[in-house]
Amino acid sequence: MSGFDVAFGWAWLIPTLTAVAFVIVGVGGRRMARLEWGGWVAVAFSFAAMVVGILVAIGEMLAPGSYTDSSVTWISIPGSPGTFPNGVQLDIGILVDPISALMLLVVTVVGFLVLLYSIEYMHHDSGLARYYAELSLFLTAMTGLVLSDNLLEFFLFWELVGVCSYFLIGFYYEKPSAASAAKEAFLVTRVGDVLFLLGIFIYFAVYATSGSAPGWAAGGFKFTNGSAPFLAGAMGGNTPLLTVAGLMMLGGAAGKSAQFPLHVWLPDAMEGPTTVSALIHAATMVAAGVYLLAVVSLFLGFTPTDQLAIVAVGGFTTFFAATMAVVNPDIKRVIAYSTISQLGYMVFAVGAGFTMVGLYHLFTHAFFKALLFLAAGSVIHAVGTQDLFKMGGLRKTMPLTAAAFAIGALSLSGFPGSSGFFSKDDILGSVYATLGTHPQYWPFFLLALLTVFLTAYYIFRAWFLAFGGDGPRDATLPHAHEPGWTMRLPLVVLSALAIGAGALVFDPAFASLLPGIGVPPTFRGADLALSAVSVGLVACGFGLAYSFWGGGRVFELSESTWAARVRALLLHRYYFKAGYDWIGLRATYTVARAADFVERYVIDGTVRGFERLFAGLSDGLRRVQTGVVSDYAAYVVGGLVGFLLLLVFLAPWLLQTVGGG
């Protein structure tokens, strides 16, 4: 069987396997929890899904540039002249192409490793049946998203991913902070989702009604056109309406990928289990926003205004998030801000027109960021705290975890030879080559370049605080030790991928999953010089981190200096969250007061006004009813007199009117 046939015949199994795990664990969860089977059932099905995902990717490598699309009609509406001449047909299908195969590798491999890691990490928690069922459902939603063959189906799975994220962030729902973080993530990402849906409607109005785009002529939102996949080229176009649609898509991606200004939810999402952070908030869900931009870029295309906006959002977010990571005392939040920053690199690349380079960084980032989260989880599991300033000396008692975190830190900062070095430098080099024709990108390129220094500083600051020194700074912490094999094995595998995944692009077969990225890579003088600058910034960041925090030192900042005020600003996240809370509170109270006014004075006032009117009329009429016959006779006589007077005065006017007619 050819690789093409493997991709066509087996891809549907990937979401199906994890969906079956969701049903089995969800239905029989309590009994399985007592027997401790639920986690292993989820692990077994995720392992099977990973095997199929790898086979699908291999199938794509064996048939470079091929794709398969299998779909069924969900809703079909006949056409009508002048509006939808070709009708509206909505399909549900599976599309396997190079970039979806690449995403399957990321989702299934990291998903399996996280579930395996969870066996020990979550062992003492309650509600494990719910945990494994929700995680299996999330994998179903995420693989369904990357296999969707049309934009509307993509949106349906996109929403299911958001719902699963809400459940998993709020897993410890008895904690007010976790429940609040889940609601915050749900509400903020809903803002982006509404923008995403508006963008779909605008594209539909532009393309489906005109019939100018074959893939949309029947209203199918399809990513394919007959025998040509969307990778063959975007539709293009540059109109104000298409610009608005592209900005709506950017809003959707910003919500899901926590880009400025919809970034506030991701650091608070660290209230969920570390395993959830590793899977959802490092490797998969947050990458869905970047994947959306990639799909829109390849299939529909962005206008120049859209591209500049995407570059601005990505480039600014890269630097903006990194500044907050340099002072945070929470090991998980440092990595969370790092995720926002690295997603900014990907958005930056897609906006500049280097979609495949952005996806390349998405691929490498998934492994080294999942490694950092799981290594941090190993530390938290051992010492019971996330506060870096309480830790210290853990490299002696947890050498494997210390080495894994160091490997992740090296790859994140872009140390030569690591996977992060190849993908991050590819972004910088690609964008740098366009600055001559797009000088408006310069400010954001400089921010992205400066972020290299900040990244190396904050991640090695975290390493020195957690693992450096002779022992914990808090003597009450329990004695740390390495975890069991179910937690160690994912660390070892992800460490290998964090080192070697970037070099896979040098293999032409693997590079077929990133068509157009350029294999073998060419190294011009400017590229080498830029790499040298980047490595120099990494070295400076590492050196500064060591000078402040190395050897167990803790840098004390005087509260009377301007730097202390800057530190307070960064710890309060530039007061964005407080500002949003203030706006939300004021908006809520304003709407509530307006509703109260309408209810009291408009609705109740109108009803009570009519009530008083009719009550007064009835009271007056009641007083007329005296029961005295002479009074009633007087009323009759008065009525007759009035009627006669009316006739006397109106008769001339009536005669004149009739005579004139």
Side-chain angles (χ1 to χ4, degrees):
M1 180 180 291
S2 68
F4 186 86
D5 293 330
V6 169
F8 182 83
W10 292 1
W12 64 273
L13 280 173
I14 300 172
T16 302
L17 286 166
T18 51
V20 170
F22 163 70
V23 173
I24 293 175
V25 178
V27 172
R30 292 188 177 180
R31 179 174 176 81
M32 289 181 176
R34 289 196 298 268
L35 300 175
E36 299 185 358
W37 288 358
W40 287 108
V41 169
V43 168
F45 277 94
S46 68
F47 176 76
M50 180 185 70
V51 171
V52 178
I54 293 173
L55 290 176
V56 169
I58 292 174
E60 285 295 321
M61 294 180 202
L62 295 176
S66 67
Y67 84 104
T68 58
D69 183 19
S70 176
S71 62
V72 295
T73 300
W74 177 29
I75 299 174
S76 181
I77 303 173
S80 58
T83 54
F84 303 106
N86 299 293
V88 178
Q89 178 177 307
L90 304 179
D91 295 338
I92 296 291
I94 290 178
L95 173 65
V96 179
D97 58 21
I99 63 170
S100 63
L102 180 78
M103 289 295 294
L104 285 177
L105 282 177
V106 171
V107 176
T108 58
V109 170
V110 176
F112 164 70
L113 293 173
V114 167
L115 279 166
L116 179 62
Y117 183 96
S118 300
I119 295 294
E120 181 178 350
Y121 185 83
M122 300 293 293
H123 178 71
H124 298 293
D125 286 275
S126 58
L128 291 183
R130 174 167 52 90
Y131 170 81
Y132 287 112
E134 290 170 356
L135 217 54
S136 297
L137 180 62
F138 170 80
L139 290 175
T140 301
M142 194 66 204
T143 52
L145 183 148
V146 301
L147 289 171
S148 296
D149 79 335
N150 64 83
L151 198 55
L152 191 60
E153 181 185 355
F154 188 105
F155 180 77
L156 294 176
F157 281 112
W158 173 282
E159 288 299 292
L160 184 56
V161 165
V163 170
C164 293
S165 173
Y166 167 76
F167 289 142
L168 289 165
I169 294 171
F171 178 73
Y172 301 119
Y173 59 87
E174 67 278 1
K175 291 174 54 180
S177 58
S180 176
K183 289 184 287 186
E184 179 186 15
F186 190 80
L187 291 173
V188 174
T189 54
R190 288 297 75 72
V191 173
D193 294 351
V194 170
L195 298 177
F196 180 14
L197 189 59
L198 289 174
I200 294 176
F201 291 157
I202 295 173
Y203 280 126
F204 182 82
V206 172
Y207 291 123
T209 56
S210 65
S212 60
W216 288 48
F221 307 91
K222 298 282 285 186
F223 291 158
T224 59
N225 170 22
S227 60
F230 73 86
L231 291 175
M235 296 178 189
N238 184 13
T239 66
L241 200 56
L242 287 176
T243 296
V244 172
L247 293 176
M248 295 297 101
M249 293 298 179
L250 172 59
K256 196 71 81 179
S257 291
Q259 297 295 282
F260 178 87
L262 301 179
H263 62 281
V264 293
W265 66 271
L266 186 57
D268 293 333
M270 297 303 105
E271 291 290 341
T274 305
T275 47
V276 171
S277 303
L279 178 61
I280 294 183
H281 306 125
T284 53
M285 173 190 148
V286 291
V290 177
Y291 187 68
L292 169 64
L293 291 179
V295 168
V296 174
S297 174
L298 296 169
F299 170 47
L300 296 168
F302 288 113
T303 68
T305 302
D306 290 334
Q307 287 188 285
L308 179 58
I310 296 170
V311 166
V313 168
F316 178 74
T317 303
T318 297
F319 175 79
F320 177 73
T323 59
M324 291 181 280
V326 300
V327 299
N328 205 280
D330 187 307
I331 188 171
K332 283 180 63 177
R333 286 181 180 253
V334 170
I335 305 172
Y337 285 120
S338 169
T339 299
I340 300 173
S341 179
Q342 295 301 306
L343 290 168
Y345 273 116
M346 303 171 207
V347 172
F348 181 56
V350 173
F354 302 100
T355 300
M356 294 304 172
V357 176
L359 290 176
Y360 177 32
H361 193 55
L362 186 157
F363 175 75
T364 60
H365 171 266
F367 300 121
F368 64 71
K369 188 53 61 67
L371 173 63
L372 285 169
F373 267 117
L374 293 186
S378 181
V379 170
I380 297 167
H381 184 262
V383 300
T385 182
Q386 298 176 196
D387 191 340
L388 286 166
F389 290 95
K390 293 183 179 180
M391 303 176 190
L394 295 179
R395 75 184 188 285
K396 298 178 179 179
T397 54
M398 305 180 70
L400 176 64
T401 301
F405 197 98
I407 290 171
L410 290 170
S411 189
L412 170 65
S413 59
F415 188 80
S418 65
S419 61
F421 168 77
F422 292 111
S423 58
K424 181 259 299 174
D425 269 29
D426 207 356
I427 291 174
L428 294 175
S430 298
V431 177
Y432 180 77
T434 68
L435 293 178
T437 55
H438 296 85
Q440 65 270 31
Y441 294 170
W442 261 112
F444 309 107
F445 172 80
L446 293 176
L447 289 177
L449 189 62
L450 181 58
T451 303
V452 175
F453 165 77
L454 295 178
T455 302
Y457 171 77
Y458 68 66
I459 197 61
F460 282 107
R461 165 184 173 270
W463 192 94
F464 288 129
L465 282 172
F467 300 99
D470 297 325
R473 282 171 284 277
D474 185 347
T476 63
L477 293 183
H479 178 71
H481 58 83
E482 291 285 13
W485 73 270
T486 57
M487 289 177 64
R488 292 199 305 270
L489 180 60
L491 293 178
V492 173
V493 174
L494 288 171
S495 295
L497 290 171
I499 295 173
L504 290 174
V505 77
F506 289 89
D507 175 43
F510 178 83
S512 66
L513 301 182
L514 292 164
I517 200 169
V519 179
T522 57
F523 296 100
R524 299 167 301 172
D527 294 330
L528 294 175
L530 190 61
S531 291
V533 172
S534 177
V535 172
L537 290 172
V538 171
C540 291
F542 176 86
L544 186 63
Y546 181 80
S547 65
F548 285 163
W549 314 99
R553 294 186 294 274
V554 175
F555 177 70
E556 298 290 344
L557 187 63
S558 174
E559 296 297 329
S560 61
T561 63
W562 63 268
R565 292 190 290 272
V566 173
R567 179 177 180 272
L569 177 67
L570 297 178
L571 283 174
H572 287 90
R573 299 190 269 180
Y574 294 94
Y575 295 97
F576 265 93
K577 179 174 170 55
Y580 286 155
D581 289 344
W582 184 86
I583 292 172
L585 194 63
R586 292 296 179 273
T588 301
Y589 277 143
T590 300
V591 172
R593 289 191 184 102
D596 180 69
F597 177 84
V598 171
E599 193 271 336
R600 285 176 182 270
Y601 300 105
V602 178
I603 298 176
D604 282 358
T606 302
V607 172
R608 290 175 181 174
F610 278 109
E611 176 191 358
R612 295 189 186 99
L613 173 64
F614 288 115
L617 289 174
S618 64
D619 184 61
L621 290 174
R622 186 172 63 251
R623 294 183 181 183
V624 171
Q625 303 296 323
T626 62
V628 179
V629 176
S630 59
D631 289 345
Y632 296 152
Y635 297 153
V636 171
V637 171
L640 289 173
V641 171
F643 180 70
L644 289 172
L645 291 174
L646 184 65
L647 286 177
V648 170
F649 286 108
L650 288 180
W653 178 78
L654 289 172
L655 291 173
Q656 183 181 2
T657 303
V658 174

